[in-house]
Amino acid sequence: MIKINENYLKLQAGYLFPEISKRVNEFSKNNPTAKIIRLGIGDVVKPLSNTVVKAFHDGVQELADAKSFKGYGPENGYGFLRDAIIENEFKGLGIEADEIFISDGSKCDSGNIIEIFGQSNKIAVSDPVYPVYVDTNVMAGKTGASDGKGKYAGLIYMTCNEENNFIPLPPKERADLIYLCSPNNPTGAAMDKNTLKVWVEYALKNKSVILFDAAYERYISQKDIPHSIFEIEGAKDCAIEFRSFSKTAGFTGVRCGFIVIPKRLKGYTESGAEHSIHALWNRRHATKFNGASYPVQKAAAAIYTAEGKKETDEIIRFYMENAKIISEGLKAKGLTVYGGTNAPYVWLKTPGLTSWAFFDKLLSECNVVGTPGSGFGPSGEGFFRLSAFGHRENILEAIERIKTKLNI
Ligand code: PLP
């Protein structure tokens, strides 16, 4: 008799987005003429830039020609892309090209990385949180059961609320593996240098590893916000960084990202013997992954050309202008608003309503869809995420409707 991985049964199965779809579908059925504007899911809407598309085509063309055809590439990524990443993202930070592992995106990387860590680690996550960090640990049997209220036994939850500006601080107890996401999805909060220093000191003291998700680093506008955890001294001894081309260059459908693991980073056996985490991941990646496709890597490298940079910067500016329109519109309506400065997410306080009650109200009164904060964890209750990834006319229309139709 085939046995299943029963850890999957612990999952509070994909409740958030299916529930949103269910409510939106029901509303559409009852209100067929309503023009619904969706600012819920964090997916880009702008097409790939011209330079990226040209490089993509060129890559395909090379595969179409016997003289330049390529089969399997290096599992860890082509040198041209890893070198471009070092030159453009980590210059002066002492990161080397062979510490970069190219992948098909950060969701896979952040989910897969836990394979190389032991079962007895204490794991710390923010609350609210990007759900992938939690669910992948549940699947891997690294947590206990759900309490039915959004938390799993065995995890350390770091509450992020108005009092701490939605910035997680080190817990009192020891955490071995710590997920930090800055700029943050869903709150839009970004960690400054001093806070990251505190984290690095904590991790060094406890011999912990910080998993630093910088998927939104390109959206940082404030000067004192680090783009990489490796800007902090000591981080090469305690951190792994995730980067993605998804939100940086519109690659959500193309799929490319990378992970940075310094060779100095060490992990330990139960008996205390030291091992290279870089070597473990190198083994894992080479065994289970056969490389992102060549044209995709060519397309990714194109964002580092002069034209590519200009084009991607323009797209980021566009989304951040959307974020500003959303923030200012909501403030003008009298709502309390966070985020939107260093991230394409605006995190608003629901006025005296639960997150889901506000969802229903926004949908019925304004025909606008957002994401209830409680779907990201219990501390998200009373908050709501609006995404700046939208067409300008929809953003303007949504804000106009909120200003004129939302009855608060
Ligand atoms: N990390 C965070 C915080 C995200 O919000 C997302 C996507 O929404 C990802 C990672 C996934 O990125 P990718 O498209 O590279 O898998």
Side-chain angles (χ1 to χ4, degrees):
M1 184 171 64
I2 185 73
K3 307 291 187 313
I4 60 164
N5 176 353
E6 292 186 32
N7 293 309
Y8 278 61
L9 306 180
K10 292 184 211 158
L11 288 166
Q12 296 288 290
Y15 168 71
L16 180 60
F17 290 106
E19 180 62 22
I20 290 176
S21 295
K22 196 179 112 206
R23 292 189 192 207
V24 173
N25 290 341
E26 211 163 285
F27 180 81
S28 291
K29 213 167 70 196
N30 298 330
N31 301 273
T33 57
K35 185 184 166 249
I36 293 174
I37 299 177
R38 293 167 196 269
L39 301 181
I41 295 178
D43 196 0
V44 295
V45 296
K46 285 269 190 197
L48 298 173
S49 81
N50 291 340
T51 305
V52 165
V53 171
K54 178 169 182 318
F56 213 158
H57 280 158
D58 289 349
V60 172
Q61 206 50 49
E62 282 182 60
L63 300 186
D65 186 332
K67 289 199 280 304
S68 49
F69 175 76
K70 290 171 178 55
Y72 291 125
E75 292 97 348
N76 296 343
Y78 282 97
F80 64 81
L81 179 55
R82 296 166 100 192
D83 290 342
I85 288 169
I86 292 294
E87 179 63 22
N88 291 279
E89 311 275 7
F90 299 101
K91 204 167 180 175
L93 299 183
I95 300 290
E96 290 169 20
D98 61 358
E99 295 176 317
I100 307 280
F101 296 85
I102 309 295
S103 72
D104 55 357
S106 278
K107 192 185 211 180
C108 313
D109 283 340
S110 61
N112 290 332
I113 194 78
I114 57 177
E115 259 185 52
I116 62 168
F117 296 108
Q119 292 298 103
S120 66
N121 288 314
K122 288 293 284 179
I123 300 164
V125 293
S126 300
D127 169 27
V129 66
Y130 175 54
V132 172
Y133 309 151
V134 172
D135 288 356
T136 50
N137 277 293
V138 175
M139 290 168 170
K142 294 177 192 249
T143 74
S146 159
D147 65 0
K149 291 183 248 156
K151 287 190 176 177
Y152 290 90
L155 290 182
I156 299 169
Y157 286 90
M158 303 177 289
T159 301
C160 295
N161 54 25
E162 286 177 295
E163 281 91 76
N164 57 24
N165 286 318
F166 303 98
I167 299 293
L169 286 170
K172 294 209 171 53
E173 65 263 64
R174 195 200 73 238
D176 303 301
L177 194 63
I178 301 140
Y179 288 85
L180 297 180
C181 176
S182 177
N184 191 268
N185 176 15
T187 66
M191 303 173 91
D192 64 17
K193 233 174 201 152
N194 285 335
T195 313
L196 273 182
K197 270 187 197 156
V198 170
W199 270 112
V200 166
E201 278 163 23
Y202 171 91
L204 291 173
K205 190 175 106 210
N206 290 295
K207 296 189 171 170
S208 318
V209 166
I210 296 171
L211 299 177
F212 189 74
D213 187 342
Y216 297 96
E217 65 74 33
R218 206 49 71 92
Y219 292 84
I220 292 171
S221 68
Q222 283 175 268
K223 288 223 160 32
D224 60 335
I225 305 293
H227 288 245
S228 166
I229 195 165
F230 300 117
E231 290 175 41
I232 311 298
E233 208 182 315
K236 285 203 280 290
D237 291 304
C238 66
I240 290 174
E241 183 160 309
F242 301 99
R243 292 284 189 101
S244 167
F245 291 96
S246 284
K247 310 298 160 73
T248 300
F251 273 48
T252 53
V254 176
R255 311 305 308 145
C256 195
F258 61 92
I259 187 169
V260 188
I261 307 186
K263 279 179 276 184
R264 281 159 54 166
L265 188 64
K266 298 288 188 292
Y268 304 86
T269 61
E270 289 290 346
S271 58
E274 193 176 272
H275 285 269
S276 157
I277 288 181
H278 180 280
L280 291 184
W281 182 252
N282 193 38
R283 186 74 171 88
R284 190 270 169 208
H285 205 56
T287 303
K288 292 199 179 181
F289 188 65
N290 247 338
S293 89
Y294 176 71
V296 162
Q297 293 191 59
K298 288 284 279 188
I303 78 159
Y304 298 119
T305 61
E307 268 314 295
K309 266 184 212 161
K310 238 185 354 204
E311 291 165 358
T312 45
D313 284 352
E314 206 169 295
I315 295 172
I316 302 282
R317 259 200 307 279
F318 172 84
Y319 290 131
M320 288 312 281
E321 185 62 28
N322 281 352
K324 195 165 162 215
I325 293 167
I326 297 172
S327 286
E328 287 179 357
L330 298 177
K331 281 183 198 158
K333 181 74 181 170
L335 289 159
T336 305
V337 174
Y338 299 93
T341 307
N342 296 303
Y345 297 117
V346 174
W347 186 243
L348 67 106
K349 193 170 178 177
T350 57
L353 297 167
T354 65
S355 302
W356 278 110
F358 186 76
F359 174 91
D360 290 334
K361 188 174 176 65
L362 194 63
L363 179 59
S364 63
E365 292 177 2
C366 307
N367 306 160
V368 171
V369 179
T371 314
S374 56
F376 298 102
S379 298
E381 183 55 277
F383 291 90
F384 199 79
R385 190 190 78 176
L386 286 178
S387 157
F389 292 121
H391 297 290
R392 180 61 50 79
E393 63 274 19
N394 286 342
I395 300 283
L396 289 169
E397 168 83 26
I399 290 304
E400 187 54 28
R401 288 188 201 165
I402 289 173
K403 280 184 175 167
T404 55
K405 296 185 172 168
L406 186 67
N407 185 18
I408 50 168

